[in-house]
Amino acid sequence: MRVLILGGDGFCGWPTALHLSATGHEVAIVDNSSRRRIDEELGAHSLTPIESLDVRVQAWREVSGRSIETAAFTVGKDYDALLDLLKAWRPDSVVHFAEQRAAPYSMKSARHKRYTVDNNLNATNDILAAIVDSGLDIHLAHLGTMGVYGYGAAGMAIPEGYLTVKVETPDGWAEREILYPANPGSIYHLTKTQDALLFQFYARNDGVRITDLHQGIVWGSQTRETRLDPRLVNRFDYDGDYGTVLNRFLMQAAVGYPLTVHGTGGQTRAFINIQDTVRCVELALAHPPQRGERVKVMNQMTECWRVRDLAQMVSRLTGAEVAHLPNPRQEADENDLTVENRRLLGYGLEPVTLEDGLLLEIAEIARSYAHRADRSKIPCVSCWNAERVQATAQQSSVAAE
Amino acid sequence: MRVLILGGDGFCGWPTALHLSATGHEVAIVDNSSRRRIDEELGAHSLTPIESLDVRVQAWREVSGRSIETAAFTVGKDYDALLDLLKAWRPDSVVHFAEQRAAPYSMKSARHKRYTVDNNLNATNDILAAIVDSGLDIHLAHLGTMGVYGYGAAGMAIPEGYLTVKVETPDGWAEREILYPANPGSIYHLTKTQDALLFQFYARNDGVRITDLHQGIVWGSQTRETRLDPRLVNRFDYDGDYGTVLNRFLMQAAVGYPLTVHGTGGQTRAFINIQDTVRCVELALAHPPQRGERVKVMNQMTECWRVRDLAQMVSRLTGAEVAHLPNPRQEADENDLTVENRRLLGYGLEPVTLEDGLLLEIAEIARSYAHRADRSKIPCVSCWNAERVQATAQQSSVAAE
């Protein structure tokens, strides 16, 4: 299969590109290096020393004997480049990672809100419009987020994309299946709910085949392929904007910083290991929807954990202390969460569990690269709104007394 | 009240600006003349001879003694100009018409899809981000569309924005109120469903007070204020992209062109007269939601009609013939529609009915300006997808034999 990976230089995109290449697919990457530029903007950097995309691809050729083509342009702006590439390279599938993917970054300021909306929605619309324009029957797989559902709204397991409800009709209450009502927690999550409406429209109007993978919070950084050579190492973010919660804990433990739990830590979230991410994308590409079928939605997650329980697990394994900080996010302090994920399990996913994989991750990444950490980048300084700015400042000053 | 009108030079924006100015509000307009540039792109023009915004505002000053300030920049691009204006002029309310508003235009090509998504979503997000940034408690009123609901999906009257459904919970089926599931019929309508998610987010996260007016198809062109001086005349679009169905019929009748009904004409749509549009916006501004309240949604329409019944009504009044053409839109041929609109009626709206107002419109606009019509611009040439292109071409060639 020919697979075009948009955003193939990023945290999920790069290991996905390697995994698909390793499993015999022809792979090409489009990336505009936006994630690397954001590192510069934030003065942050990956804990692991990542190489340029050119070096990465060259290393992969040496290690595997396989080529990955690359192109550098902005999906969502350079429409003609995208359309020309589709027509010339004729991919069977496009995997769409070309979005700004950090909730805290999307909430930093008006500029960051505007960038996230502009980048993410124009990227998704351009891909869909270009697939229609190309006349090719390309399957689009998109990395969505569990965050589109909101958390624990209905008190039932979150289904895979669609919710059965009863609506009143002239003949009484009747069952209907609707797109799960959106309840996004940040501008970033919001754009993914808006993406879902784009997918629904193009699937119905143009018959585009689309899979939307609602992914949990990714932990870990290495996969079978990225371990093959130091130059293939994946990025590992630990800063307050891009570092996902568990990876932040691992790095905090490694450098002797307390594990920073926001609020009570009673937030339950869905998780997945990066190795399972790349496997799930492969499974999704192997099981596309039929032409004319509605958007296929799968929940790409393997475990649910409360944040404080994660902190305790890491603390137990490492001896690190747990510190409770005011929550900069506008969200409930405590929530339950159960999630349906039968489809990907049914296709053969065998999850890497936290309890099995955590020690390896601590040894392999957090401890090995702890000397590269910049402790000043650990705190999350993006507040969700004016009230959270005040509350965070107040509680921090109380805590400091 | 100080009211800032974004898109105040357009078909709905201009008469709204005049009406609010006439009723004693302080009014300012932001407009980037995009609608006038699209006229140039399409080689089309308003049936009525509209003046430049400068001349319009000057004429209004002469006629009414009232000033309307204007600013020319693009909402959605020139963020600093927007934020500076909010801070300096400190409006109580912002009325947001600054979107590309024609479904056929949004479906013409990839470029038109991309422009509509980029323009509409960045405009809405910029306004919301700027209101938050300004720190002012500004009420935002947005012109949405009945098209966000899809048509007749549930077989019940379409409620005002929210739908009561039953969802399964551990304790059995329980009632919940959800945003009405979106089922947009074009890229233009899609952007309005995406706007709705933006509104929901900013209302919840930042407490922004927002009213979303889901408007039916507007007919007519003049209001009490635009009639006061020929230089104040409102635009009247009759081309295949921007001409709304009833206004197209009126103009077709006036120039002896058959009334072009797409498909069976069994599509039922919601309508509102332009005089009622401006009155509804005034009523919406007088009844804003409270801070912290959810988005207030009102259905801004007064009557539902089947397209073929409208054609017959116009035919009866004018003697024009009715012609059935293949439908370029991807939509059901026949649908029923009933709509809740109690809120605006409850605030005192007294609708102008089609049966009362149609003859005046025919005499005042369609006949008076028939000599300005360009018959070549009447057909709708935007097809919704590849199948509709084929079907339209085939059926047209059969019809021509």
Side-chain angles (χ1 to χ4, degrees), chain B residues 4 7 33 41 49 58 60 104 144 177 187 198-200 224 242 250 324 333 343 350 383 387-388 401:
Chain B
L4 179 63
S33 303
E41 172 198 338
Q58 174 60 31
W60 179 244
E177 218 171 17
I187 290 283
L198 279 159
F199 295 141
Q200 209 187 5
R224 272 190 291 279
Y242 278 87
L250 297 181
H324 286 267
D333 268 351
R343 291 183 99 153
E350 290 170 12
C383 286
E387 280 166 33
R388 294 282 169 167
E401 276 167 14

Side-chain angles (χ1 to χ4, degrees), chain A residues 114 126 183-184 204-205 385, chain B residues 114 126 183-184 204-205 385:
Chain A
R114 298 179 65 232
D126 269 18
N183 188 23
R204 207 179 49 230
N205 192 70
N385 56 31
Chain B
R114 298 179 65 232
D126 269 18
N183 188 22
R204 207 180 48 231
N205 191 70
N385 56 29

Side-chain angles (χ1 to χ4, degrees), chain A residues 22 44 47 63-64 78 113 164 166 230 233 275 280 302 335 337 350 375 377 390 394:
Chain A
L47 189 69
V63 166
S64 70
D78 305 330
K113 293 175 190 173
T164 300
K166 289 183 180 172
V233 72
Q275 179 69 58
C280 284
T302 60
N335 72 286
L337 182 67
E350 290 171 12
R375 296 166 63 104
K377 297 300 173 188
Q390 279 195 329
Q394 249 168 23

Side-chain angles (χ1 to χ4, degrees), chain A residues 22 38 62 103 107 135 159 178 183 212 216-217 227 241 258-259 280 292 297 334 338-339 342 345 351 358 392 401:
Chain A
I38 289 173
E62 292 168 26
M107 299 301 291
I178 62 170
N183 188 23
D212 204 1
I217 298 170
R227 285 191 184 97
D241 285 307
L259 310 182
C280 284
V297 183
E334 303 268 334
T338 48
V339 179
R342 278 181 251 183
L345 294 177
L358 210 50
T392 308
E401 279 166 13

